[in-house]
Amino acid sequence: MGNTAFSVFIEKAVAYFPVQEKDPQFWNAWAQRTLKIALTRQSLNRNRAKNLILFLGDGMGVPTVTAARILKGQLNGQSGEETVLEMDKFPFVSLAKTYNTNAQVPDSAGTATAYLCGVKANEGTVGVSAAAVRSQCNTTQGNEVTSILQWAKDAGKSVGIVTTTRVNHATPSAAYAHSVDRDWYSDNEIQLFENIPNIDVVMGGGRKYMFPKNESDIEYPNVAKHSGTRKDGRNLVQEWTDKMQNKKGYYVWNKNQLLSLNPNNVEYLLGLFEPGDLTYDLERNKETDPSLTEMVDVAIKILRKNPNGFYLLVEGGRIDHGHHEGKAKQALHEAVEMDRAIGRADLLTSAHDTLTVVTADHSHVFSFGGYTSRGNTIFGLAPMVSDIDQKPFTSILYGNGPGYKIVNGVRENVSTIDLQENNYQAQAAVPLSMETHGGEDVAVFAKGPLAHLLNGVNEQNYIPHVMAYAGCIGKNRDHCMSKSAAGHFHPTFAGVVALVTISRLVY
């Protein structure tokens, strides 16, 4: 770096950190505690997974996980770097390769097909194999693939979908739909209620897709863009309510209605809390709109009543939206909220019989750096200026996106801008109206029965095969016939070979 930038860096790099960290014994003792915990993991959990939970942080690449960890700590008055996320506590971590069959850098539909249906697929398609071509309707039939949510339902488990996006967005739709185009919402929301009858819990946004065109929204009656969109005249909410009226089924559209329910008296729940996606957590009306954590709490309390257990898909879907808009603060607060939801799920379940997996569908071209000192606000400036244009820059930057700004022919001077503003768009290297996904591997965190099978570097479509194997659902169940009196699996050789073969035969 240039002399000017280097001198500024040296001047500002002195940061406060806890005094005990100066003592080598502090670090040695911490490492020894970690070692003792690691040694206990030699006794692997080989129980059958009664319950299966997948937390999907849409767009939550490793840089996002790290930055969210720091933010979580700073929200609690700490410097942040030493903070432990709920997902950090999971004993097994691996990497998943996220490419689609026809894309080096993937989209959320093709990836959802991988981690829900067990096969890799083309970008933009949901619930169909790579033989299906995006937007070519006649390539759908015969290329449909079923999801782990279907496998769980067929096995007698209760199943649920909770998301902060529309319930017919890319991630949730791969659990129930078969569509060669993720944007064909009018097909997808019919499939939500018809392809897998009686999904026990569905919560998220997307009200306007369920009501006839131009029908006013119950929450925003005078806002045309929130009115119904259906050209077929169907009222899917009314159809669902009529079908469930004698089955302890409830439809809710606000937080008060949701939290007023007694989960012990609810068998089916449809919660649609916004016409489109839910609002960002930073902007959420805490009086009327439920948080992801609150939705997860209610979902698990309903689903766990089934003696056969449950499968639950939880999506922190607006992490992705924040990044696309270059709004890192929105994205990271969404990630922190999803981590809270993971913690709540942990309190309501047991690792003895519940396999919980946390991962992402893909990453983003999001980064943070600039030699920031310990405890520097994650949304703050780097402690140096550029040695090229002598202007300051933020720690958080994007490789491309809407944050690219040139003022009077030069890079914008961010020292005069409120970097803490919720919707501040971090500077980007390449101008785009929407920032793009990243192509690197994503982390897979796992705990519970057979979580150790998620190790190393794997194809993304391996994830549902492991979860199905642990839960004795789907087609690979030979090992389930050889359960010991202690309740542990003794997988047959054929079962192990089948699992390994499935994980490697991507094409």
Side-chain angles (χ1 to χ4, degrees), residues 77-93:
Q78 303 166 331
S79 64
E81 297 82 6
E82 71 291 344
T83 300
V84 179
L85 292 168
E86 295 297 329
M87 65 186 88
D88 291 341
K89 301 174 186 177
F90 285 31
F92 299 97
V93 182

Side-chain angles (χ1 to χ4, degrees), residues 176-301:
Y176 58 80
H178 310 290
S179 177
V180 291
D181 198 310
R182 59 178 287 181
D183 295 329
W184 290 353
Y185 290 120
S186 61
D187 283 338
N188 282 353
E189 72 256 14
I190 295 176
Q191 294 184 45
L192 169 61
F193 298 123
E194 296 181 355
N195 277 7
I196 305 178
N198 303 335
I199 296 177
D200 302 82
V201 173
V202 176
M203 280 190 277
R207 273 199 308 263
K208 67 181 181 180
Y209 303 105
M210 310 300 171
F211 291 92
K213 187 174 178 62
N214 297 327
E215 181 171 321
S216 294
D217 183 74
I218 191 168
E219 188 175 7
Y220 309 99
N222 299 314
V223 183
K225 69 177 182 179
H226 293 325
S227 297
T229 64
R230 301 198 63 79
K231 295 180 180 179
D232 60 7
R234 293 177 67 178
N235 182 328
L236 296 183
V237 170
Q238 189 62 54
E239 290 181 22
W240 184 91
T241 303
D242 291 344
K243 185 174 71 170
M244 296 299 179
Q245 62 180 347
N246 297 320
K247 298 181 180 180
K248 295 184 179 180
Y250 294 84
Y251 167 67
V252 296
W253 61 269
N254 61 52
K255 177 177 176 176
N256 183 60
Q257 291 176 343
L258 176 66
L259 299 187
S260 295
L261 295 172
N262 180 348
N264 292 325
N265 298 327
V266 178
E267 295 300 325
Y268 298 97
L269 175 62
L270 174 62
L272 300 174
F273 303 107
E274 286 291 329
D277 301 319
L278 303 192
T279 56
Y280 284 121
D281 196 65
L282 270 177
E283 300 169 353
R284 178 172 60 88
N285 184 325
K286 294 178 173 55
E287 300 299 317
T288 61
D289 301 332
S291 66
L292 182 62
T293 300
E294 289 165 338
M295 291 192 290
V296 167
D297 178 271
V298 174
I300 292 177
K301 287 176 179 176

Side-chain angles (χ1 to χ4, degrees), residues 192-425:
L192 169 61
F193 298 123
E194 296 181 355
N195 277 7
I196 305 178
N198 303 335
I199 296 177
D200 302 82
V201 173
V202 176
M203 280 190 277
R207 273 199 308 263
K208 67 181 181 180
Y209 303 105
M210 310 300 171
F211 291 92
K213 187 174 178 62
N214 297 327
E215 181 171 321
S216 294
D217 183 74
I218 191 168
E219 188 175 7
Y220 309 99
N222 299 314
V223 183
K225 69 177 182 179
H226 293 325
S227 297
T229 64
R230 301 198 63 79
K231 295 180 180 179
D232 60 7
R234 293 177 67 178
N235 182 328
L236 296 183
V237 170
Q238 189 62 54
E239 290 181 22
W240 184 91
T241 303
D242 291 344
K243 185 174 71 170
M244 296 299 179
Q245 62 180 347
N246 297 320
K247 298 181 180 180
K248 295 184 179 180
Y250 294 84
Y251 167 67
V252 296
W253 61 269
N254 61 52
K255 177 177 176 176
N256 183 60
Q257 291 176 343
L258 176 66
L259 299 187
S260 295
L261 295 172
N262 180 348
N264 292 325
N265 298 327
V266 178
E267 295 300 325
Y268 298 97
L269 175 62
L270 174 62
L272 300 174
F273 303 107
E274 286 291 329
D277 301 319
L278 303 192
T279 56
Y280 284 121
D281 196 65
L282 270 177
E283 300 169 353
R284 178 172 60 88
N285 184 325
K286 294 178 173 55
E287 300 299 317
T288 61
D289 301 332
S291 66
L292 182 62
T293 300
E294 289 165 338
M295 291 192 290
V296 167
D297 178 271
V298 174
I300 292 177
K301 287 176 179 176
I302 293 172
L303 298 173
R304 69 181 181 183
K305 300 197 305 288
N306 187 335
N308 294 321
F310 65 84
Y311 173 87
L312 176 61
L313 168 64
V314 180
E315 183 197 20
R318 303 220 64 194
I319 301 169
D320 177 72
H321 295 173
H323 281 321
H324 277 308
E325 294 173 356
K327 299 173 181 177
K329 188 170 184 178
Q330 299 284 13
L332 296 184
H333 274 267
E334 292 294 308
V336 170
E337 173 56 26
M338 193 181 86
D339 197 63
R340 292 191 194 102
I342 294 169
R344 185 61 187 156
D346 178 71
L347 294 174
L348 294 172
T349 59
S350 168
H352 176 77
D353 66 358
T354 302
L355 172 60
T356 304
V357 177
V358 179
T359 188
D361 47 356
H362 55 73
S363 185
H364 277 266
V365 291
F366 162 85
S367 66
F368 70 99
Y371 302 113
T372 47
S373 54
R374 178 78 174 271
N376 190 70
T377 170
I378 192 64
F379 304 116
L381 291 170
M384 55 193 292
V385 297
S386 166
D387 59 349
I388 303 299
D389 65 10
Q390 283 71 53
K391 287 186 174 66
F393 60 95
T394 55
S395 173
I396 285 176
L397 296 167
Y398 286 95
N400 57 50
Y404 178 93
K405 289 183 178 66
I406 297 296
V407 179
N408 296 325
V410 295
R411 184 170 67 90
E412 183 178 41
N413 189 336
V414 296
S415 64
T416 62
I417 296 173
D418 181 7
L419 305 176
Q420 303 296 323
E421 200 272 323
N422 289 352
N423 292 307
Y424 169 71
Q425 292 177 310

